[in-house]
Amino acid sequence: MRIAISGAGVAGTALAHWLHRAGHSPTLIERAPAFRTGGYMIDFWGIGYRVTRRMGIEQAIRDAGYDVRCVRSVGSDGATRAELGVEVFRRMIGNNFTSLPRGDLAAAIYRTVEHTVPTVFADSITGIDQRPDDVRVTFENRAADDFDLIIGADGLHSNVRRLVFGPEERFEHYLGCKVAACVVDGYRPRSGEARSDLYLTYSVPGRQVGQFTLRGDRTMFLFVFRDQHDDHGMTPKEQLHNQFDDAGWQCRQILAAVDGVDDLYFDVVSQIRMDSWSHERTLLIGDAAGCISLLGGEGTGLAITEAYALAGELTRSGCDYVRAFECYESRLRPFIEGKQAGAERMLGFFATRTRFGLWWRNVAMRAMNLGRPVAGLFAGSVRDNLVLPDYQIG
């Protein structure tokens, strides 16, 4: 089948990989002028990690990743308030674990299809006409084309979802936070903090900034803060200044560095909840269908898992897309909804509301280092209980 995939991020490129291996003819459509790398830092583990092993890119991901050893919470004076060894998570989920920028993971996947799957950059879909035998897709910059299926892998603010299912506000569940991330060249943290195995966090009630040292004299910053959904008439950088100028620690110094950055990721922290992920010949995948939110920590791995499962169900069904879509959703939906519930519980770690809550979070971080009995209380939120068939693709 000829299959149009809107979005060349993790979900879209992974799906293109598996569809091509299954003998289909996918086309990636990406509104950005070129493939995007970088992005915020993610922890990558679980079933998604195991799927990339089947894709043959585990070593490339390891090479791009970082061996984070510790998450450290500091106070306004820079002194350590609590530390959590990443070894705690390794005991819960095993050694299939690394940390890397989201876009670098997408790039490792894209390299597997770069020369075999056509990618249309700098264009977007403007119309979708679903007909009995095909889908007529119109574009902003190129001639209309016909496909057998169209897959929306275009993220939280999915264009395909808007065109086929309706406006975003019908499906968005705002979690009360916003997030920003960027990479700064040549940032100079305080002595002893420039370590690529340390994720540093500083929190005040309702706000957190994270700092991580990357290769090549680069530093990544992640901001999370509680706020209303609207932008208050301010730009993203103005919103960051409004929230963090008076937060203490290095925040003014960090914001001054962020002011000089052109590429700033800024978005709401939301989930997407839908009654159905498909309509006729269109299906949504990844964040477009069931975004768990950035705070869930596993959205990227879930997108990779979904890509493999969708290609597998299309193969099993003999290209009966109606049956494939139904089997795909019935298999994945309970798993995704469970991850969404877990992500909501993580709000307290990233944007704790009160000073007492911050104190209690630090106590919990220290307690988790004590061993299996305490860490086991949290294992259910990070372990994957989904077992996928071996679809025998390619």
Side-chain angles (χ1 to χ4, degrees), residues 67-371:
D67 188 15
V68 179
R69 299 287 182 177
C70 177
V71 177
R72 177 182 296 168
S73 172
V74 301
S76 58
D77 58 355
T80 300
R81 296 291 186 264
E83 284 190 350
L84 174 61
V86 175
E87 183 60 30
V88 171
F89 293 99
R90 295 187 188 279
R91 290 198 297 266
M92 289 188 278
I93 61 178
N95 291 321
N96 296 333
F97 178 94
T98 190
S99 301
L100 75 167
R102 179 187 174 99
D104 291 355
L105 175 57
I109 300 171
Y110 181 65
R111 284 192 289 270
T112 70
V113 298
E114 185 174 9
H115 303 295
T116 56
V117 172
T119 305
V120 178
F121 287 109
D123 209 345
S124 60
I125 295 171
T126 58
I128 297 171
D129 181 15
Q130 304 194 80
R131 304 179 295 198
D133 296 323
D134 60 13
V135 183
R136 169 56 61 96
V137 180
T138 54
F139 300 89
E140 185 175 340
N141 298 318
R142 68 195 299 256
D145 203 351
D146 297 331
F147 297 89
D148 295 297
L149 302 175
I150 181 165
I151 308 298
D154 42 358
L156 173 64
H157 306 294
S158 170
N159 181 45
V160 171
R161 187 183 62 233
R162 178 182 60 82
L163 291 170
V164 175
F165 296 87
E168 183 172 301
E169 52 265 29
R170 288 177 54 187
F171 312 108
E172 181 191 13
H173 177 70
Y174 182 54
L175 298 185
C177 289
K178 296 177 181 175
V179 62
C182 67
V183 174
V184 173
D185 292 323
Y187 181 78
R188 288 294 174 264
R190 295 175 181 175
S191 176
E193 294 173 353
R195 293 168 42 190
S196 62
D197 65 346
L198 171 67
Y199 186 75
L200 199 66
T201 68
Y202 170 72
S203 301
V204 294
R207 293 166 284 176
Q208 183 183 102
V209 57
Q211 176 182 319
F212 186 78
T213 300
L214 300 172
R215 302 179 187 98
D217 196 21
R218 298 172 301 149
T219 303
M220 177 176 291
F221 295 104
L222 175 70
F223 304 85
V224 182
F225 59 94
R226 293 186 183 268
D227 196 10
Q228 298 176 14
H229 192 285
D230 64 77
D231 61 13
H232 314 291
M234 295 185 285
T235 67
K237 288 182 180 179
E238 288 172 340
Q239 291 183 63
L240 289 179
H241 277 282
N242 183 55
Q243 292 286 337
F244 289 93
D245 267 344
D246 62 351
W249 188 52
Q250 300 180 40
C251 288
R252 286 184 181 271
Q253 178 184 349
I254 292 170
L255 290 172
V258 171
D259 283 339
V261 171
D262 293 327
D263 188 11
L264 174 70
Y265 170 84
F266 188 93
D267 209 343
V268 294
V269 177
S270 295
Q271 294 180 343
I272 296 298
R273 301 177 183 177
M274 305 182 68
D275 293 334
S276 176
W277 297 341
S278 65
H279 177 66
E280 297 180 359
R281 292 177 175 268
T282 301
L283 181 133
L284 303 175
I285 189 173
D287 284 353
C291 178
I292 68 170
S293 86
L294 176 146
L295 304 185
E298 202 179 354
T300 304
L302 298 180
I304 294 170
T305 302
E306 292 167 37
Y308 173 66
L310 177 56
E313 294 297 341
L314 284 169
T315 300
R316 277 190 162 190
S317 71
C319 295
D320 179 350
Y321 71 89
V322 174
R323 177 185 168 200
F325 287 178
E326 290 175 351
C327 292
Y328 166 79
E329 185 165 345
S330 65
R331 188 181 297 278
L332 271 297
R333 179 178 284 277
F335 182 61
I336 298 301
E337 290 178 347
K339 292 295 182 179
Q340 287 183 323
E344 284 197 274
R345 293 192 292 269
M346 289 300 295
L347 280 173
F349 178 84
F350 288 98
T352 312
R353 291 184 182 276
T354 65
R355 294 194 178 277
F356 175 78
L358 289 172
W359 173 84
W360 181 248
R361 187 205 62 184
N362 289 338
V363 169
M365 286 177 64
R366 292 191 291 267
M368 287 181 69
N369 294 300
L370 297 178

Side-chain angles (χ1 to χ4, degrees), residues 57-66 98-100 111 215:
I57 59 173
E58 180 184 12
Q59 190 57 52
I61 291 170
R62 286 280 190 184
D63 291 344
Y66 293 81
T98 190
S99 301
L100 75 167
R111 284 192 289 270
R215 302 179 187 98

